[in-house]
């Protein structure tokens, strides 16, 4: 069965929408933040911990799993859900972004991308067909088309040629897609150019996918440009399909994305900053390494219901982070992921009552206060 | 309240004994293996995970907590139990072993040990009084006397002088001990010399402690020497107090220790080897990095009931270890600790039925088969 998106409520004053996405591994409401499990594990966490924090869907990375342990191992295990013991919905990316950001000495041709593995330097070729074949074997609920993530800034000529090639790759990927239990998303590119974003969105929709991603943001552009990139493409996407803004997980950007009609978000930010001792709070990010927390025997946030806040103090988590103990990263990862997941939950409530803008204003006022 | 040891059953054919130790934070049966939480956390694990695997008591390190976060922070938090959210029994060591194994440029005098911190090179002095003062503030259930861990080999003269000094330190520590909720153990030293072990045991018992530790083993000596060191001192220890063999956690050594009358064991081995990809099994240790486990979709042990074995395969754990994901170390830590804790559980059953030697023989036959 393919996924099915159900629109529950459109907010009156914005493009924000509350929906529900049905998959073969359960349903989740949108807008939703998706924790990232790059290597078939959300760093430091168990599947039970992800469920407890209300995680509806997770993302895993095709590029990493292709290199290690290899898609055949995952296939022989019975697919990614069985391999990693996660029975909820899983989305896989196409590997495109990782090839562009991690791989060495890449060479982009019409066929695909020739590059060297960031692990062992091995020469590898990733094509639209190969990306889909790997994802078919991983057997995620939602797969992504193979695309080029255009750098920022990029010349108009480069962006145009790349966007057109990504469209050809999208057609090839759809053609190659053979897993009937798996849904496939197209990706809107176009760099920083409004007309290219429009062309990319319209043509990708013409090919026809189960959902649409907005790619190529969060690559160095300023915030207004990023929000413009979203707007330039999203207006051409169909109402009855989910929209996913790739690689975005800053609380402010989630709010800006939702306001423009985005349903799904993912980012390594909450777990990455956790490993460096940072915690999201409603009054902005705090860094536990700060000396002022040395004898702070209160939780990260008094009002938070996460496992970390129910049982541990800032002073203890600070000690763990400074001592290099991974249990500290685990506690902060739980807190940060739950923070974003609960943020999307609060956003959904505000959409239901047509008070999204009031909610957003209140959140931003507190979050940016200090 | 001080701890209270209750002898439940002496095994008919050996010195093995099944007992129960009552503390202010609950009771646990002995023989028992104690997971090590060096820096107020058993690496990668939560207190809930420790409870689920049947952990009766954990150990934490005075030296590490003195340096980071400092005993005053733990004291102000309300003691170690509150600080780390662990409401079961906690034992702290004296810092002696760490000063001798970790610290740089140490200088031993009658007063104590002058050394440089392994973290920042700061000059520090650890004395018997200071060690007890720190442990009083940590507020563990069981504290240890400050001792010198004699290197192996050592000359008779050095061992004799050191053993006598450790006895003087034991008297000073007992004198300095002010926490009436905390019990205090004396430590038998004496190096590799039978007569010094006997003197150390008899004199330490004369001082009078709530329990007795056997120190200075597992420092490079061969196994027969280690077992002899245990025998040379343990025969002088009172029946009505618990005996703790410090720093020993190899399954074979646990069996040999129990046979000689030891009640408590601790070691970083199960969690340390976990981080390097090793798992205990009843057929010996296995290393998950081995290529033969690449597509092994069975648990670490079919008969094991631990969280890792209930939900994950060797192939998945292998992938996590090779990819450097801490969830792999977490799963193997859970398995290895439960393995040793369940081993002591099985040992207790065999003591109850006077079949310890049969149990030991069967275990060793399987464990050393491959």
């Amino acid at each position: 069965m393919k996924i099915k998106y159900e629109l529950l409520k459109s907010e009156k004053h914005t493009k924000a929408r509350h929906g529900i996405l049905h998959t073969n591994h359960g349903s989740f409401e949108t807008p939703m933040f998706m924790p990232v499990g790059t290597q078939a594990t959300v760093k430091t966490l168990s599947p039970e911990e992800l469920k407890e924090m209300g995680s509806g869907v997770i993302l895993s990375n095709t590029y990493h799993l292709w290199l290690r342990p290899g898609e055949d191992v995952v296939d022989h295990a019975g697919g990614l859900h069985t391999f990693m013991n996660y029975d909820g919905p899983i989305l896989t990316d196409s590997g495109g972004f990782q090839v562009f950001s991690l791989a060495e000495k890449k060479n982009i041709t019409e066929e695909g991308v020739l590059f060297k593995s960031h692990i062992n330097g091995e020469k590898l070729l990733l094509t639209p067909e190969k990306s889909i074949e790997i994802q078919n074997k991983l057997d995620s609920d939602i797969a992504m088309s193979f695309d080029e993530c255009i750098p920022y800034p990029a010349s108009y000529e480069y962006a145009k040629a790349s966007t057109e090639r990504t469209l050809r790759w999208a057609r090839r990927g759809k053609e190659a897609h053979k897993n009937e239990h798996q849904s496939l998303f197209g990706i809107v590119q176009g760099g920083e150019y409004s007309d290219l974003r429009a062309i990319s969105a319209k043509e990708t929709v013409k090919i026809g996918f189960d959902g649409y991603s907005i790619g190529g943001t969060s690559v160095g552009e300023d915030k207004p440009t990023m929000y413009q990139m979203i707007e330039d493409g999203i207006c051409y996407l169909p109402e009855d399909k989910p929209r996913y803004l790739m690689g975005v997980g800053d609380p402010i950007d989630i709010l800006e994305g939702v306001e423009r009609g985005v349903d799904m978000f993912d980012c390594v930010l909450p777990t990455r900053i956790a490993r460096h001792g940072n915690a999201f709070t409603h009054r902005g990010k705090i860094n536990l390494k700060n000396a002022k927390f040395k004898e702070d025997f209160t939780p990260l946030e008094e009002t938070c219901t996460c496992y970390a806040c129910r049982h541990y103090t800032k002073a203890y988590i600070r000690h763990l982070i400074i001592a290099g103990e991974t249990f500290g990263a685990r506690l902060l990862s739980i807190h940060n992921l739950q923070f974003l997941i609960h943020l999307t939950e609060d956003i959904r409530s505000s959409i239901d009552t047509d008070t999204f803008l009031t909610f957003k204003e209140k959140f931003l006022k507190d979050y940016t206060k200090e």
Side-chain angles (χ1 to χ4, degrees), chain A residues 162-230:
Chain A
S162 168
T163 301
E164 288 167 354
R165 183 171 50 214
T166 286
L167 283 168
R168 292 191 294 275
W169 285 358
R171 285 183 204 104
R172 282 167 54 190
K174 192 186 174 191
E175 183 69 21
H177 191 261
K178 301 296 178 206
N179 185 331
E180 61 190 13
H181 305 292
Q182 188 178 57
S183 298
L184 183 62
F185 277 29
I187 303 182
V188 177
Q189 287 288 350
E192 71 228 66
Y193 301 101
S194 298
D195 63 327
L196 297 181
R197 287 267 164 196
I199 291 169
S200 179
K202 286 191 268 190
E203 293 300 316
T204 306
V205 171
K206 270 192 208 161
I207 299 170
F209 288 97
D210 303 307
Y212 297 91
S213 303
I214 297 162
T217 70
S218 250
V219 290
E221 77 281 8
D222 55 34
K223 296 287 187 187
T225 304
M226 176 182 163
Y227 305 146
Q228 188 62 49
M229 285 174 171
I230 300 170

